[in-house]
Amino acid sequence: VVMDMAGSAYTTVLDVRKGPACPGIEVPVACAVGYPPGRSYLDVQLGAGTYYLQIDGLALDSGSWVLDVRVVDP
């Protein structure tokens, strides 16, 4: 799964968490801070299940955000 926050208006933090209930538990190596600002990017292999995405701003940063998610063959 590829997740890209390019085009967001601030320094984003993207975190993948696994269910079954929200907020789930953190998935190892599935957290990214947007450097350069506005671009958190992850390319992770995820098994079947329920997942939650946590989107936040670094150091209380905020604004509009963009998220592109693509499921691709490994």
Side-chain angles (χ1 to χ4, degrees):
V1 179
V2 176
M3 293 163 266
D4 190 352
M5 296 191 73
S8 296
Y10 64 101
T11 304
T12 56
V13 176
L14 175 61
D15 184 31
V16 180
R17 304 177 73 86
K18 186 169 182 170
C22 185
I25 60 171
E26 289 184 63
V27 175
V29 194
C31 182
V33 176
Y35 290 109
R39 179 157 195 205
S40 292
Y41 179 89
L42 287 170
D43 184 350
V44 294
Q45 288 189 2
L46 301 173
T50 301
Y51 293 89
Y52 299 92
L53 299 179
Q54 181 178 9
I55 297 169
D56 205 347
L58 183 66
L60 301 177
D61 222 353
S62 64
S64 61
W65 53 270
V66 176
L67 176 63
D68 182 35
V69 178
R70 297 174 189 257
V71 178
V72 296
D73 290 331

